[in-house]
Amino acid sequence: MHHLPMRTVTLLFTDMEGSTRLLQQLGERYTDLLEEYRQLLRAAFQRWNGNVVDTQGDAFFVAFARASDAVSGAVAAQRALASHVWPEGVVVRVRMGLHTGEPTLFSEAPPVPRDWRASAVPRVLPAGGSSHP
């Protein structure tokens, strides 16, 4: 069960740019890249008190109790990605979107017993979830 903030929170959404292209370029080695990527992001978000609510593929959905922590977590993640030595000299770029709002709890969403969302999520997803070839 997540220990999520329940007042005004800042949500962070990520989306890796060109992940399909990287998968095609790296083949089976993409799995290793994705694992390194996830470790870097998780470490940056945890360092700034972020709670990972959900992940899907290369995308993260993270909640922060403080907006300043969300911004610091996003900056730390971007710096970690930029300074990391990636295989075959690839460049990993990640779009990040932030939104501050009030959360709403839903208890019916499996597999997590109590899923957590915010009413503003649909407004943030186009910024964080857009894709480019």
Side-chain angles (χ1 to χ4, degrees), residues 36-56:
E36 291 175 46
Y37 160 85
R38 288 177 179 155
Q39 289 175 3
L40 291 170
L41 266 59
R42 281 186 191 280
F45 300 149
Q46 287 174 354
R47 186 168 44 250
W48 289 98
N49 305 308
N51 294 284
V52 175
V53 177
D54 194 14
T55 61
Q56 292 184 12

Side-chain angles (χ1 to χ4, degrees), residues 21-38:
R21 184 182 67 249
L22 286 173
L23 173 61
Q24 292 169 344
Q25 178 182 347
L26 297 173
E28 292 181 14
R29 294 178 311 279
Y30 179 76
T31 303
D32 295 333
L33 177 139
L34 190 58
E35 183 59 32
E36 291 175 46
Y37 160 85
R38 288 177 179 155

Side-chain angles (χ1 to χ4, degrees), residues 4 6 8 11-12 26 33-34 36 39 44-45 47 54 58-59 70 74 81-82 85 93 95 98 109 126-127 129:
L4 300 168
M6 294 310 303
T8 300
L11 307 175
L12 180 144
L26 297 173
L33 177 139
L34 190 58
E36 291 175 46
Q39 289 175 3
F45 300 149
R47 186 168 44 250
D54 194 14
D58 61 70
L81 293 168
V85 178
R93 291 191 176 101
R95 288 181 292 274
L98 295 168

Side-chain angles (χ1 to χ4, degrees), residues 77-132:
Q78 293 289 4
R79 287 181 175 160
L81 293 168
S83 66
H84 189 74
V85 178
W86 297 102
E88 299 183 29
V90 300
V91 176
V92 176
R93 291 191 176 101
V94 178
R95 288 181 292 274
M96 297 186 184
L98 295 168
H99 177 79
T100 300
E102 305 277 328
T104 303
L105 276 177
F106 296 95
S107 60
E108 69 279 357
V112 179
R114 293 181 62 82
D115 196 11
W116 182 82
R117 303 277 185 245
S119 60
V121 168
R123 286 180 278 180
V124 178
L125 289 178
S130 62
S131 61
H132 300 282

